[in-house]
Amino acid sequence: RNAVSMRFSEDTGRLYENLVFLHLSRTAKEVYYLKDVVECDFLVRWDNGTMKAIQVCAGWNPEIKARELKGLLAAMERFRLKEGWIVTEDHEGEERAGRRAIHCMPLWKFLLGLDKK
């Protein structure tokens, strides 16, 4: 897309979101976007009825982390989810927010299906 467009910025975050959406649309039963006071990139329902909240971002710094966690935690609270995922360019780890677990993983691992627990 960037090679043939007249855009001068890479807009990597949107490209990552598109990749995650395409992956989810092939593997999940339903894929939603949540826009309330804050946003959550994807709410996914699987065939077995379970749900997953997912945020996608290219970078990872304190400002991005705060923004992504805010949207993810709001979605997790609204739908009573105990786990959430943040897909990043290269950050990997796990965070706790009270009783909730936040799994951070690189895009390549997510696309390989390594987010399944």
Side-chain angles (χ1 to χ4, degrees), residues 19-96:
L19 280 170
V20 170
F21 173 76
L22 291 171
H23 174 72
L24 292 172
S25 67
R26 288 190 297 264
T27 59
K29 180 177 181 180
E30 299 169 335
V31 180
Y32 302 98
Y33 164 78
L34 176 66
K35 176 70 171 161
D36 217 357
V37 175
V38 292
E39 71 175 52
C40 182
D41 294 329
F42 301 105
L43 286 166
V44 182
R45 185 177 309 276
W46 304 101
D47 287 331
N48 65 5
T50 61
M51 286 189 74
K52 183 182 284 191
I54 302 170
Q55 289 283 69
V56 181
C57 58
W60 191 253
N61 61 44
E63 182 181 319
I64 292 171
K65 177 182 175 180
R67 181 187 69 229
E68 300 299 330
L69 283 174
K70 189 175 182 180
L72 185 64
L73 289 170
M76 291 171 68
E77 184 175 324
R78 182 171 175 182
F79 293 96
R80 298 184 192 135
L81 302 174
K82 294 179 182 177
E83 294 181 296
W85 278 258
I86 299 178
V87 178
T88 68
E89 182 173 3
D90 58 6
H91 179 73
E92 188 168 6
E94 189 166 298
E95 310 250 344
R96 301 270 334 157

